[in-house]
Amino acid sequence: MRTADYTIRTATSADVPPARAVMLDTVYRDFRTGYVPRWHGDVIDPAGAYLTPARHTLLVAVAADGEVVGTGALDSRGPAHPPNPPHVAERFPSGVTAQLRRIYVRPEHRRRGLARRLVDELLAFAVADGGYRAVYLHTDPAVTGAEPFWRSLAKVVHDEREDAGGGQGIVHFEVPMAGWRGAR
């Protein structure tokens, strides 16, 4: 399949179960953590986390056959301290920070530009909102391909692997909004 064979759109309530399946499969397969309530509450209730709040959104990547094969979400919650470093939480306060979350694509649909298309649409959403000053995300570099992907789109603001003891091993990023100003 080519990238053009997929549709990226805002999720509906009917998309919630297959989107949740993509998310749960990812946390079990790629993260190898399984479902952890304090980290993944939004995965169990994506409608409450992303469809209901006005400044939040959940996107899905849909294959030509109608299968939901990818997800991307955005919310207005900045990173909390703890568990994140205090200077990261201070730099990205809730309400004015758009946090990218759950940019997941099923393995058999990767390397087709879907994650980049999801991010483009989420950034357009953040810009159109008008109230966000920054776009933040974090990633686990142990997930194959995640760190190089985000380094191609964003600027590292803190790499916990460089902390004494390695912190949580998470890499924190800021995605520049400038390139998407006035988009869509």
Side-chain angles (χ1 to χ4, degrees):
M1 286 185 153
R2 299 165 297 138
T3 303
D5 294 332
Y6 297 88
T7 302
I8 305 293
R9 62 176 170 75
T10 302
T12 65
S13 57
D15 295 317
V16 168
R20 182 185 304 114
V22 169
M23 294 176 194
L24 285 171
D25 288 350
T26 301
V27 299
Y28 278 91
R29 180 192 55 247
D30 294 338
F31 296 167
R32 297 187 180 102
T33 61
Y35 170 72
V36 179
R38 72 179 185 274
W39 298 336
H40 305 125
D42 63 307
V43 171
I44 295 305
D45 184 17
Y50 304 115
L51 300 186
T52 304
R55 300 181 67 216
H56 298 191
T57 194
L58 174 64
L59 302 179
V60 289
V62 182
D65 65 1
E67 179 188 6
V68 172
V69 300
T71 62
L74 177 148
D75 67 34
S76 62
R77 294 174 290 149
H81 168 71
N84 298 295
H87 70 277
V88 172
E90 290 166 11
R91 179 175 178 158
F92 300 106
S94 291
V96 295
T97 298
Q99 184 166 178
L100 300 183
R101 298 179 179 267
R102 313 297 175 215
I103 313 296
Y104 302 152
V105 176
R106 291 204 177 274
E108 61 274 20
H109 296 275
R110 291 180 183 160
R111 313 262 340 133
R112 297 187 175 127
L114 293 175
R116 191 171 296 268
R117 284 180 58 198
L118 287 161
V119 170
D120 284 347
E121 292 296 326
L122 291 169
L123 291 170
F125 178 91
V127 169
D129 176 84
Y132 292 118
R133 290 191 328 233
V135 177
Y136 163 84
L137 71 105
H138 66 267
T139 196
D140 180 347
V143 175
T144 303
E147 185 178 3
F149 172 75
W150 290 115
R151 284 183 181 271
S152 76
L153 296 175
K155 179 182 116 187
V156 173
V157 295
H158 185 79
D159 186 335
E160 292 187 26
R161 298 171 296 184
E162 297 170 1
D163 294 349
Q168 302 176 89
I170 300 299
V171 181
H172 303 267
F173 292 90
E174 181 171 5
V175 182
M177 290 179 70
W180 285 272
R181 298 231 184 263
R184 292 176 205 96

